Amino acid sequence: MTRVVSIFLPDLPTDRIRRDDPSIADDQPIAVISRSGAKRWVSAADAAAEKVGVRVGMPAAKAQALFRGLMLVDADPAADARRLDMIALWALEYYSPIVAVDGIDGLVLDTEGADHLQGGELPMVTKIFNSFHAKKLTARVAVADTWGAAHACARAIKRETVIIPTGKTFRAVERLPISLLRLPEKTVADLRVLGFQTIGELANTPRAPLALRFGPEVGRRLDQIRGLIAEPIDPIRTAETVQVSRNFQEPIGAAETINKYVGRLVVQLVAELEKRGLGVRRADLFVEKVDNTRQVIRAGTAKPVRDVAWLTKLFRDRTEKIEPGFGIERLVLVAAAAEPLVEEQRISSLVEEEVTDVTPLIDIFGNRGQRVYRLAPVASDVPERSVQRVSAVAEAIEETWVGHWRRPVRLLPHPEVIDAIALMPDHPPRSVTWRGNRHKVVRADGPERIFGEWWRRPAELEAVRDYFMIENEHGERFWIYRAGDGVDPETGSHKWFMHGIFA
């Protein structure tokens, strides 16, 4: 069943202003002012402005009088719209083949065919929120069965992420205000005059009187939010997007027929990409059915390709998931992500050189929803900072790991506090207790002193760690450290931590 993600960006204007002017302090209150003739009012306010009492709809003069240091910026709806379009294109590439702008402050995504690539709904929603947060964008993310329900929950429920269980849509929205039905403002005002406050109250009212007074729009929005009628999402596209399509006079549904036309579309897509000197990194196959529903299959590659046979295989491996229903009337193949790709000579001598290429294997794992990457060194002595994840096909990195001390094969995600009995400052522990288990230390090597990186964080100016490799009576070897030098409290807390496990 199709699931819809709504991303609400309540502070889009102020977030854009901060991005355009990085010199603005994080704690600087910002209010965006809109004009209508001589009237000026607050159309957006960030969290810092709301703390000092500024509210949307408040007259600009009153907002300015509340806080002398309030920064007033004229609204620029065109710039906000361009920014929202850029965010939508970014989401189209990374999260879903169907992404559209939802009003002036949000996005809507159809996750069918894409959520498994993120590990499921909860990991996907969490990743989406974290991605926006990393870009210093305020966001609330909701998932529901319908566009209307996801839109309403993202704007009404004051949590960072919301997942409405399948089949529980109406129960989640029935107590929400009617202003979230995406009706015209005048219609909402007139409904409130009649006494309607919540979506549930409106849904339980006979339709005929509502349609007679307000037309069919009220009933249509109620049916859409409950999933009684479809509300297709028209995905955002750019003029540079490469796509090919095939319409059918008679609907198709057989697997062999679908595969045949998918192969032909791949040939056409590759020809268009070749004209532009591009290779596809991510392609989406839109399957449009006669019942006005749509199914999408997404396939990605580790590096840009124009290999017809390989792209055809990637899609044919997944076309078995297509449910034709009453028939398919149109197939559309879109290059959602394309990068420059130049022709290169594969063989440069009379003797063909054998080259091992693991890219096809990476593509197969990636299209099954498994993330493939490799670990690369970073120039840092601090263990958790000395490694990074890079693309499995990225170029070789020149940095190398420090080799004069042994490193464990497994580094814990975060150092864990342990109890240790040790003679400070230079002696290793005689025993440690980790996760409730006591380990008697029979051998140890160390200490290896690692200093803090003061040029990154001033708080690490005097910080040190003393690492020891220890072995217990069962032959298990661990990597532990003491925070501090064991003498000066300013160098660390002198607590002991477990950081890694040796093979």
Side-chain angles (χ1 to χ4, degrees), residues 311-418:
L311 289 173
T312 302
K313 172 178 171 47
L314 289 180
F315 278 108
R316 286 183 175 175
D317 287 346
R318 303 194 61 211
T319 50
E320 61 183 16
K321 296 184 178 181
I322 295 177
E323 301 174 358
F326 295 106
I328 300 169
E329 62 181 3
R330 190 168 186 246
L331 292 174
V332 182
L333 186 60
V334 182
E339 298 177 2
L341 177 64
V342 297
E343 298 289 349
E344 61 180 9
Q345 186 173 344
R346 293 293 182 89
I347 301 174
S348 59
S349 66
L350 294 177
V351 180
E352 183 176 352
E353 299 175 359
E354 184 178 353
V355 179
T356 302
D357 185 8
V358 298
T359 303
L361 181 62
I362 296 172
D363 292 345
I364 291 174
F365 282 130
N367 286 288
R368 289 177 180 173
Q370 297 169 319
R371 187 178 179 188
V372 183
Y373 58 89
R374 79 168 194 264
L375 299 177
V378 178
S380 175
D381 286 332
V382 180
E384 60 267 32
R385 299 176 191 164
S386 65
V387 64
Q388 63 177 331
R389 293 182 180 183
V390 298
S391 170
V393 295
E395 297 293 334
I397 296 178
E398 295 181 357
E399 286 86 358
T400 58
W401 280 297
V402 177
H404 54 274
W405 284 91
R406 298 183 64 184
R407 291 289 183 261
V409 295
R410 179 189 171 195
L411 200 67
L412 299 181
H414 304 285
E416 299 181 12
V417 177
I418 59 175

Side-chain angles (χ1 to χ4, degrees), residues 461-475:
L461 179 62
E462 299 183 5
V464 298
R465 292 179 184 175
D466 282 344
Y467 277 87
F468 294 86
M469 183 179 69
I470 63 172
E471 182 179 329
N472 66 11
E473 65 269 29
H474 303 295

Side-chain angles (χ1 to χ4, degrees), residues 90-346:
W90 168 73
L92 178 71
E93 181 175 350
Y94 287 98
Y95 295 115
S96 172
I98 302 179
V99 179
V101 172
D102 187 9
I104 62 173
D105 55 7
L107 305 176
V108 59
L109 293 71
D110 187 333
T111 65
E112 183 180 8
D115 55 351
H116 77 285
L117 298 176
Q118 309 293 339
E121 281 189 351
L122 180 58
M124 178 186 64
V125 170
T126 304
K127 184 177 181 181
I128 290 174
F129 172 80
N130 290 338
S131 298
F132 278 86
H133 183 69
K135 293 179 178 293
K136 297 184 178 181
L137 289 170
T138 306
R140 294 208 296 267
V141 188
V143 185
D145 291 342
T146 65
W147 180 351
H151 173 97
C153 290
R155 287 154 178 79
I157 301 177
K158 305 299 183 183
R159 294 203 303 269
E160 297 170 347
T161 59
V162 180
I163 298 179
I164 306 302
T166 301
K168 305 294 184 180
T169 299
F170 187 68
R171 182 178 298 178
V173 302
E174 61 181 345
R175 296 185 180 181
L176 300 184
I178 58 175
S179 58
L180 297 175
L181 273 175
R182 296 175 294 163
L183 292 169
E185 292 184 7
K186 185 178 185 309
T187 302
V188 173
D190 291 344
L191 287 169
R192 284 175 174 164
V193 171
L194 295 176
F196 295 106
Q197 298 297 326
T198 66
I199 294 174
E201 294 172 351
L202 196 59
N204 293 327
T205 302
R207 291 288 180 87
L210 293 174
L212 184 63
R213 179 160 184 172
F214 300 102
E217 183 68 8
V218 174
R220 186 172 70 89
R221 287 302 191 192
L222 287 171
D223 288 340
Q224 286 176 343
I225 202 170
R226 302 181 71 167
L228 301 178
I229 61 175
E231 186 176 8
I233 301 171
D234 188 17
I236 189 171
R237 292 285 183 265
T238 65
E240 294 78 20
T241 301
V242 182
Q243 71 176 46
V244 293
S245 62
R246 177 64 182 262
N247 296 315
F248 304 103
Q249 293 183 351
E250 294 292 333
I252 65 172
E256 297 81 3
T257 306
I258 296 173
N259 286 332
K260 179 179 71 174
Y261 285 108
V262 168
R264 293 180 180 179
L265 287 176
V266 170
V267 172
Q268 297 176 28
L269 184 70
V270 168
E272 291 296 325
L273 291 169
E274 191 172 5
K275 293 178 183 177
R276 308 186 189 192
L278 299 174
V280 67
R281 281 291 310 277
R282 190 170 291 109
D284 300 326
L285 176 66
F286 291 81
V287 181
E288 299 181 1
K289 308 172 188 178
V290 296
D291 59 355
N292 200 30
T293 60
R294 178 192 287 142
Q295 190 173 352
V296 185
I297 293 177
R298 167 164 281 191
T301 59
K303 60 183 180 181
V305 298
R306 286 200 300 264
D307 189 329
V308 172
W310 183 241
L311 289 173
T312 302
K313 172 178 171 47
L314 289 180
F315 278 108
R316 286 183 175 175
D317 287 346
R318 303 194 61 211
T319 50
E320 61 183 16
K321 296 184 178 181
I322 295 177
E323 301 174 358
F326 295 106
I328 300 169
E329 62 181 3
R330 190 168 186 246
L331 292 174
V332 182
L333 186 60
V334 182
E339 298 177 2
L341 177 64
V342 297
E343 298 289 349
E344 61 180 9
Q345 186 173 344
R346 293 293 182 89

